[in-house]
Amino acid sequence: MPDFTASVYQNEYLAEGGTDVHAVVSVACSGAGAAGQGEGVEAAEIIIVDTSGSMDMPPAKIAAARRAAKVAVGEILDSTWFAVVSGNTQAQMVYPLRPSMAKMDAQHRQEALQAIDGLRSRGATAIGSWISATSELFSSVPSSQRHAILLTDGKIEGESPDALPAALRAASGVFQCDCRGIGDDWVVEELRSIASALLGTVDIVADPEDLEADFEAMMRTAMSRGVADATLRVWAPQGSELLFVRQVAPTVEDLTPKGTQPSTLIREFPTGAWSDEARDYHVAVRVPTGPVGSERLAARVELVVADDVVAKGLVRGVWSTDTNLTTRIDPAVAHYTGQERLADVIQKGLQARADGDDRTATTLLGEAAKLAHEAGNEDTTRLLTKVVEVVDVEAGTVRLRQDVAKSDEMALDTRSTKTTRIKRTS
Amino acid sequence: MTSDPGAATAAICPSCESPVADGDDFCEACGAQLTATAQAAPAEPVAATATPRVCHVCGGEVTADGFCGSCGTKARTERDHWSESPSTALAAVCDRGIAHARNEDAMAMGVSDDGSVSVMVVCDGVTSAPDSDRASLSASKAAREVLLDGVDGAPAGGAAAIEHWSKAITAATAEANHAAVAIARSLGDPPEPPSSTFVAAVAPGSLVVVGWCGDSRAYWLPDDGEPVMLTVDHSLGSEMIRSGMTREEAEAQADCHTITRWLGADSPTPISQITTVEMTAPGWLVLCSDGLWNYISRPDDLRTMIADHADADNATPLTIADALVAYANEQGGHDNITAALLRHT
């Protein structure tokens, strides 16, 4: 049986008249088991490989894609529904041959591996149509845990600009999707929008040689998600305003716009499937102020699996005139507030740089360098130094580099939302 | 599950299932009352949360985790706010107030089996000493038991009755002090032991014998005639008044509330001063903690306020005590509040 825990990190003390309560709620899962093993749960996996013409330039890309898809098929557990799809101007079945899904066993695995060897590249990139076709395939099997891996090397050009957003609206809640961009001709924003809408990850694989290992790890993680689906439920009191709910670890993802409101005081946010992992959420609520000495529940944060509350954290507000108590900022809240800002300044800084606004780019990326340094965010610091030359990290002074590899810039952009977890002292 | 209710219910709180110590009256974790009343039938396990609790701020339903399901206000525990009314003439309300996180006030009311003798005890735990809420509650209950035990064989009136009940108050104070000291012992004798003020009154008929130790007060407020404060605070404020300040001036001083007598392990004089009064006319006997008299100190003001509330439809000593506590909370509720009222007719 999976076991969930929730821990709340906050300074609950508010000054007289204070209204805004911030907390980091850390949810951890252990004993998740494996995908499709829960009672009444069948898992389904679809691998979507870009086979547009550009995948042949150089041919190493399509070759790497074939190898990676085969490694991923190798990781899929027996009895899991699966399919392999190739995408160019439209989605085409690789395995099974007709639009359907197969149940994984030795024979189907062997057939799928052979079919993948036949992948050839030609045509354009129409990711919206691939997403729509994948939704349909998933809907053809009695599965309640659906996950896809999508690989592309280019930007969308074979369909109208509305096709992808429309496909994502329809696919939201149907399946989760991890996205990978190979090379440097794809668009970070396109893949990020897919990963965000479909509760998945996004990353760059600059070197085709790295694709196999990445696909293996992704599928292994998907197969370790023994909790098919979970919802983050946030109660906030009458008269309050839920300012935001953000996942802040392992990546920054604003959940606020994804919320539904099943009743007046409750918002629910999808979190997808869980493996043995921990995720941190930054919750901010504006509550009616209370008399000094009084205590109010500002938010009750629960993780709900199959209608059962499996973990609960209480976010409280206590009004006090003691400034020693009210002026402290909780270290976890401070840390993640900085990490959220870091992701924001990297993305805006890179956009300014692309727009030719070097002054804004220098200021924002300088702040990013400072924040990453302060938080001990070494990966981000390393990625940043490929785009800027750090003059004074404490002051956040940088100079923009002139000859920046496009893939380095894309890596910085893609990974800007990855956070470090705060070191906790116990 | 064992069928022995004593063994089954002693170890955990029936409300939140936290472990509780033998003899605790309230759960340390959630504040739920662990024993229904002193007179509860011991054979039945206590169902402390059988009825849904209601939020004291908005009237919403309190959820299992102890907060209002509507406005989120932390629900009052039974230790935070409770009332007792053992007869139609006697009632008391004990309340956390607003500014304090814990209710260190306590009280215990009682009436003899034949209804002729009323017993009132109010204790105000010293906030600066941790666990004073436990000391004050334990002391109140101990004193009530001693005073109720004094009913058997008490002289009917006259000097003999005064002597009997004065001794009973002295014994009740000693037992209350013993209870407070026992809490300190159970905590391993902390450097700042839990401590409490004490005021008790016993009213066998029209006679009232009052004993006090600290700055909790007793008032006799006849409907007609001069209302009086029966006690003189054992506090620096009182000493200021003795040295020439007006009451208003003294009560405005920061250290007015520094008490010079109290119950507890570190008390040099855990002894009650005793006074008596004959209730010769209908009126109100009031015991209270400083959480009330901070806002309404003068006997005539208190009498007027009580009379106003007594005029309301269906007024009882309990509704009036509730109204006095509500008044103190409206003024800021800066301290715990206890108001105990006995109607003499």
Side-chain angles (χ1 to χ4, degrees):
Chain A
M1 276 295 285
D3 184 37
F4 286 89
T5 58
S7 313
V8 177
Y9 302 88
Q10 70 163 143
N11 175 19
E12 63 271 35
Y13 292 102
L14 294 164
E16 195 167 5
T19 56
D20 291 5
V21 182
H22 285 253
V24 168
V25 181
S26 185
V27 182
C29 174
S30 60
Q37 287 189 343
E39 201 182 313
V41 175
E42 293 186 47
E45 287 289 340
I46 294 178
I47 299 165
I48 311 159
V49 179
D50 186 341
T51 53
S52 61
S54 59
M55 285 292 284
D56 246 348
M57 296 175 277
K61 280 198 286 189
I62 190 69
R66 281 191 216 105
R67 290 197 304 274
K70 287 164 76 173
V71 166
V73 164
E75 290 294 326
I76 296 173
L77 298 175
D78 280 353
S79 300
T80 304
W81 294 103
F82 81 106
V84 182
V85 172
S86 80
N88 42 44
T89 313
Q90 55 185 335
Q92 293 170 31
M93 294 306 296
V94 176
Y95 188 86
L97 283 174
R98 294 211 300 206
S100 63
M101 297 186 76
K103 237 181 184 185
M104 182 60 85
D105 58 21
Q107 186 192 338
H108 289 146
R109 197 185 307 272
Q110 204 48 49
E111 289 170 5
L113 295 176
Q114 281 171 10
I116 290 168
D117 276 333
L119 281 178
R120 298 287 178 269
S121 56
R122 62 165 180 206
T125 304
I127 301 179
S129 73
W130 311 349
I131 297 286
S132 299
T134 304
S135 283
E136 273 180 49
L137 277 179
F138 275 127
S139 302
S140 71
V141 292
S143 153
S144 52
Q145 178 172 0
R146 300 147 168 169
H147 172 253
I149 293 175
L150 185 151
L151 175 71
T152 187
D153 78 327
K155 64 174 190 288
I156 295 173
E157 43 194 12
E159 62 189 6
S160 88
D162 304 335
L164 180 61
L168 290 178
R169 276 193 297 278
S172 167
V174 177
F175 68 100
Q176 288 184 246
C177 188
D178 288 317
C179 303
R180 292 297 180 267
I182 185 170
D184 59 13
D185 285 332
W186 54 284
V187 180
V188 174
E189 199 37 57
E190 284 176 1
L191 286 206
R192 184 182 282 144
S193 74
I194 300 169
S196 176
L198 304 183
L199 309 178
T201 61
V202 58
D203 204 356
I204 180 170
V205 183
D207 184 348
E209 291 304 312
D210 296 334
L211 198 61
E212 257 179 280
D214 192 45
F215 266 50
E216 183 180 16
M218 249 189 305
M219 190 57 84
R220 204 169 272 175
T221 300
M223 289 290 110
S224 70
R225 292 186 184 131
V227 179
D229 192 25
T231 300
L232 192 73
R233 180 184 290 165
V234 180
W235 175 96
Q238 191 80 49
S240 68
E241 182 191 351
L242 193 57
L243 298 176
F244 59 78
V245 175
R246 289 182 195 141
Q247 180 185 287
V248 287
T251 56
V252 176
E253 181 69 45
D254 190 6
L255 301 181
T256 319
K258 298 182 184 175
T260 58
Q261 192 169 5
S263 68
T264 321
L265 304 181
I266 291 176
R267 299 280 195 296
E268 289 186 343
F269 305 90
T271 69
W274 286 65
S275 60
D276 288 357
E277 61 181 307
R279 302 184 199 176
D280 293 348
Y281 300 93
H282 182 173
V283 177
V285 194
R286 180 164 294 160
V287 296
T289 190
V292 167
S294 72
E295 176 173 345
R296 190 193 295 285
L297 187 64
R300 183 188 287 108
V301 180
E302 297 170 326
L303 197 75
V304 181
V305 174
D307 294 333
D308 288 331
V309 174
V310 293
K312 179 173 81 168
L314 300 180
V315 179
R316 305 175 304 130
V318 177
W319 282 270
S320 171
T321 51
D322 184 344
T323 50
N324 287 329
L325 297 175
T326 58
T327 54
R328 279 188 298 121
I329 296 174
D330 178 81
V333 171
H335 173 79
Y336 285 126
T337 303
Q339 296 277 290
E340 291 159 45
R341 174 78 185 157
L342 176 60
D344 194 46
V345 291
I346 288 175
Q347 289 175 25
K348 288 191 173 135
L350 289 175
Q351 187 59 51
R353 187 176 176 279
D355 294 345
D357 182 355
D358 284 1
R359 201 169 150 174
T360 304
T362 305
T363 306
L364 292 175
L365 295 175
E367 185 183 348
K370 183 172 187 282
L371 286 168
H373 171 72
E374 284 169 355
N377 212 330
E378 285 167 19
D379 286 345
T380 304
T381 298
R382 187 175 51 76
L383 293 168
L384 264 168
T385 54
K386 292 183 178 173
V387 177
V388 297
E389 185 187 335
V390 178
V391 179
D392 180 348
V393 74
E394 309 279 342
T397 313
V398 299
R399 271 194 289 271
L400 300 182
R401 290 188 189 278
Q402 292 311 310
D403 298 312
V404 177
K406 194 177 172 208
S407 60
D408 285 337
E409 193 180 329
M410 290 169 73
L412 176 61
D413 191 357
T414 310
R415 295 177 184 166
S416 60
T417 58
K418 282 206 170 71
T419 56
T420 53
R421 300 197 80 200
I422 189 168
K423 292 177 194 73
R424 298 219 163 94
T425 50
S426 56
Chain B
M1 279 296 270
T2 167
S3 60
D4 175 359
T9 56
I12 60 162
C13 168
S15 178
C16 73
E17 303 190 346
S18 298
V20 294
D22 267 359
D24 277 4
D25 296 293
F26 294 93
C27 171
E28 288 286 300
C30 75
Q33 199 157 14
L34 300 173
T35 49
T37 67
Q39 290 83 22
E44 292 293 319
V46 179
T49 54
T51 51
R53 290 155 69 199
V54 169
C55 173
H56 61 282
V57 174
C58 77
E61 196 170 309
V62 172
T63 57
D65 46 27
F67 293 91
C68 173
S70 179
C71 74
T73 300
K74 189 174 175 64
R76 282 196 306 218
T77 66
E78 288 161 87
R79 182 66 183 90
D80 283 340
H81 177 98
W82 86 100
S83 55
E84 293 182 10
S85 184
S87 75
T88 54
L90 175 62
V93 175
C94 184
D95 186 89
R96 185 172 62 102
I98 291 168
H100 282 213
R102 210 190 272 264
N103 184 12
E104 276 136 349
D105 273 13
M107 53 83 171
M109 303 293 119
V111 174
S112 62
D113 292 341
D114 65 359
S116 65
V117 181
S118 296
V119 167
M120 308 159 80
V121 185
V122 169
C123 288
D124 174 356
V126 175
T127 304
S128 58
D131 293 291
S132 289
D133 56 327
R134 296 174 62 197
S136 63
L137 185 66
S138 189
S140 306
K141 293 188 169 189
R144 174 175 64 188
E145 292 316 300
V146 172
L147 294 173
L148 288 173
D149 285 348
V151 172
D152 275 351
I162 292 176
E163 189 187 345
H164 173 84
W165 286 113
S166 297
K167 281 183 177 167
I169 294 267
T170 300
T173 309
E175 203 53 40
N177 185 58
H178 183 72
V181 171
I183 299 285
R185 295 278 177 275
S186 75
L187 296 168
D189 289 313
E192 200 162 7
S195 43
S196 175
T197 70
F198 177 85
V199 60
V202 58
S206 59
L207 172 68
V208 178
V209 180
V210 171
W212 79 98
C213 177
D215 69 350
S216 296
R217 291 181 177 176
Y219 294 85
W220 164 237
L221 311 170
D223 297 347
D224 298 303
E226 194 193 350
V228 287
M229 190 168 117
L230 300 172
T231 52
V232 178
D233 300 341
H234 297 127
S235 70
L236 293 182
S238 280
E239 290 181 6
M240 293 174 209
I241 292 167
R242 269 199 296 278
S243 66
M245 276 191 194
T246 66
R247 174 167 301 282
E248 285 71 21
E249 284 169 344
E251 287 176 0
Q253 301 298 311
D255 52 358
C256 164
H257 289 262
T258 302
I259 52 175
T260 52
R261 236 195 244 199
W262 63 92
L263 304 185
D266 63 346
S267 171
T269 43
I271 305 164
S272 278
Q273 187 175 345
I274 291 175
T275 189
T276 64
V277 68
E278 193 69 28
M279 300 187 287
T280 53
W284 294 94
L285 178 67
V286 177
L287 266 58
C288 66
S289 64
D290 58 351
L292 179 67
W293 66 248
N294 275 333
Y295 302 111
I296 185 154
S297 175
R298 285 157 45 105
D300 50 343
D301 292 341
L302 189 55
R303 177 169 69 179
T304 303
M305 183 175 289
I306 290 173
D308 287 348
H309 290 294
D311 282 343
D313 286 345
N314 304 318
T316 64
L318 184 57
T319 64
I320 299 166
D322 268 330
L324 294 178
V325 168
Y327 171 77
N329 276 326
E330 282 159 20
Q331 305 307 305
H334 288 300
D335 203 345
N336 309 138
I337 307 150
T338 305
L341 282 80
L342 175 66
R343 177 64 187 171
H344 178 68
T345 49

